Amino acid sequence: MESLLAATMSYRFGYRFLQQDLLTDPQWETVRDILERYFGMKDVTTALRYAAERVHDGLQRNPGVHVSARCRQDLDSMLCAGENDYRKGTGGGVAGDGKVGNIAENTVPPSPGEIARHGLPGGVFDVLEAAYEHFDDNEGLLRIAVYAIVSDIVPAHRYLAMAKDLAGDEWPQTRDYIVELFEEFDNKVFIGRDNRNVSYEQLLVQEQLGDAAWNYLRRRKPPVGGCEPIFLSDSVEDWDSLFSTLAPVAALSQCDAVVSMLMHPLQDDDGDLLHEDTEKNRAKIQRIFRQCIRFGARYRAVQERERLRMMYPRRPQLQMMLDNALEEHDDDAS
């Protein structure tokens, strides 16, 4: 991160920061002390409390951090390509996926101009990280990584790999601490069910944390009473993505609960889904059945099919589609 900061400053100010010391030690100390106070980063809980207070006041939870989807992708790629990014190996990529620090040998590291045009991915947050890096302050860097995961600072892959590397043998305890912090601050820092935390989701998937994934998923579940869930509406993409990502993990420990969440709309006989026998509604019901079977609850799909067959004997197309969903699974199993 210190090298990226030097590249950015060289581009913006015209000085040859890449060929000399970026800052003197007293200057680094000043920068560190100011930004620690700015973020409350002497303690992760304090830093998260500051973030929650900013959200409560209608401000950006992580000031100075780029958060657009384009920045997420572009800057993640740039960090992956940079030779000198975090400890020469953990910058970008998911730990254990064969991509950490190995981003194609043919990848060309970004030029100072490319970095400067986008800006540092974490803005002033990255300056604090560079200060910790300069002083080899592993405890400070670990606080940075934990905070970044809980509050979702880009790029997600990088901070998760960074936390694992810094925690070393203490990673299981650090992982549990991250989950504990997120459980405490989720509804304070991420207000509204549409607010996703990509970094934390990756932690849940990589570590296969079933109970934590279920807690995350159910807090973001769209309201059912009186209106369709998002994953059954016309705007399915975001909930579909979330559900597809975390439901298999949540089902490891909460399979019945995940299936019940999935099947809940079919319990409302007067709801929009069952009220009219349209092609769109039939497709949505079939989709629910396929998801249910995917999570290993074929028995529940069979029960629901029989119930719907008794309730709606004059809906042959619906019966045929549900039969097809079950037969597809049987064919795959054989």
Side-chain angles (χ1 to χ4, degrees):
M1 187 53 66
E2 191 172 345
S3 63
L4 289 183
L5 179 59
T8 301
M9 291 180 67
S10 293
Y11 179 85
R12 291 192 182 281
F13 299 110
Y15 304 141
R16 297 185 178 276
F17 286 104
L18 289 173
Q19 299 177 13
Q20 65 186 39
D21 291 337
L22 181 58
L23 298 172
T24 65
D25 280 356
Q27 288 171 330
W28 275 119
E29 289 175 0
T30 300
V31 167
R32 180 196 61 197
D33 294 345
I34 290 172
L35 291 180
E36 274 187 342
R37 291 180 62 187
Y38 180 66
F39 285 105
M41 196 53 69
K42 274 286 190 181
D43 175 75
V44 180
T45 302
T46 300
L48 289 168
R49 181 169 55 82
Y50 283 10
E53 289 172 354
R54 285 191 292 267
V55 171
H56 181 269
D57 293 338
L59 304 174
Q60 184 180 342
R61 67 174 173 266
N62 293 314
V65 177
H66 300 287
V67 294
S68 71
R70 182 174 180 179
C71 281
R72 284 179 182 276
Q73 297 170 358
D74 292 349
L75 292 166
D76 202 4
S77 298
M78 287 204 300
L79 283 171
C80 288
E83 290 185 84
N84 296 318
D85 189 37
Y86 179 71
R87 311 289 182 184
K88 289 192 176 183
T90 57
V94 178
D97 68 354
K99 298 180 182 179
V100 180
N102 298 329
I103 304 299
E105 296 177 2
N106 298 328
T107 302
V108 179
S111 68
E114 289 174 315
I115 296 170
R117 277 195 298 275
H118 288 285
L120 291 168
V124 293
F125 187 79
D126 285 340
V127 180
L128 176 58
E129 182 183 335
Y132 286 142
E133 183 182 292
H134 178 80
F135 290 115
D136 291 322
D137 184 352
N138 286 343
E139 290 185 5
L141 287 169
L142 184 56
R143 290 198 301 272
I144 287 269
V146 169
Y147 174 83
I149 293 169
V150 176
S151 67
D152 195 29
I153 292 181
V154 298
H157 296 327
R158 179 174 183 274
Y159 289 109
L160 185 50
M162 180 175 166
K164 286 184 176 181
D165 183 51
L166 289 166
D169 294 339
E170 300 297 317
W171 169 242
Q173 292 90 328
T174 301
R175 177 197 62 204
D176 293 345
Y177 179 53
I178 292 171
V179 172
E180 179 183 327
L181 286 172
F182 189 82
E183 292 293 328
E184 179 180 353
F185 285 96
D186 182 18
N187 62 354
K188 301 174 185 175
V189 174
F190 296 88
I191 297 176
R193 66 176 183 274
D194 297 330
N195 243 329
R196 294 182 62 177
N197 181 329
V198 176
S199 302
Y200 188 68
E201 289 176 20
Q202 289 185 356
L203 172 71
L204 298 176
V205 172
Q206 285 190 31
E207 299 296 314
Q208 295 288 279
L209 303 177
D211 288 338
W214 168 247
N215 289 337
Y216 181 95
L217 193 62
R218 67 183 177 83
R219 282 197 293 266
R220 283 156 178 79
K221 171 188 157 187
V224 175
C227 64
E228 287 186 333
I230 291 175
F231 72 95
L232 292 176
S233 70
D234 294 329
S235 303
V236 299
E237 184 174 350
D238 192 54
W239 174 256
D240 246 4
S241 172
L242 174 59
F243 192 84
S244 297
T245 298
L246 290 185
V249 181
L252 293 174
S253 60
Q254 300 285 345
C255 184
D256 289 343
V258 171
V259 171
S260 293
M261 175 189 287
L262 193 58
M263 286 291 189
H264 189 83
L266 299 180
Q267 312 310 308
D268 185 2
D269 300 341
D270 297 322
D272 294 338
L273 191 61
L274 294 175
H275 185 67
E276 294 185 15
D277 185 28
T278 65
E279 182 178 353
K280 179 183 289 188
N281 284 346
R282 289 194 295 270
K284 291 176 182 177
I285 296 171
Q286 186 185 50
R287 189 153 154 258
I288 290 176
F289 270 66
R290 284 174 172 157
Q291 289 269 33
C292 180
I293 294 169
R294 177 187 167 204
F295 294 128
R298 186 184 184 280
Y299 69 94
R300 181 71 180 272
V302 171
Q303 290 176 352
E304 288 298 318
R305 179 191 62 176
E306 296 307 315
R307 189 178 69 85
L308 293 177
R309 177 175 288 167
M310 292 180 61
M311 289 180 59
Y312 304 105
R314 297 184 180 181
R315 295 187 180 183
Q317 290 177 295
L318 174 62
Q319 306 304 335
M320 181 180 65
M321 292 178 73
L322 298 185
D323 289 342
N324 288 341
L326 290 166
E327 289 170 4
E328 288 169 4
H329 172 264
D330 293 338
D331 290 341
D332 291 341
S334 62

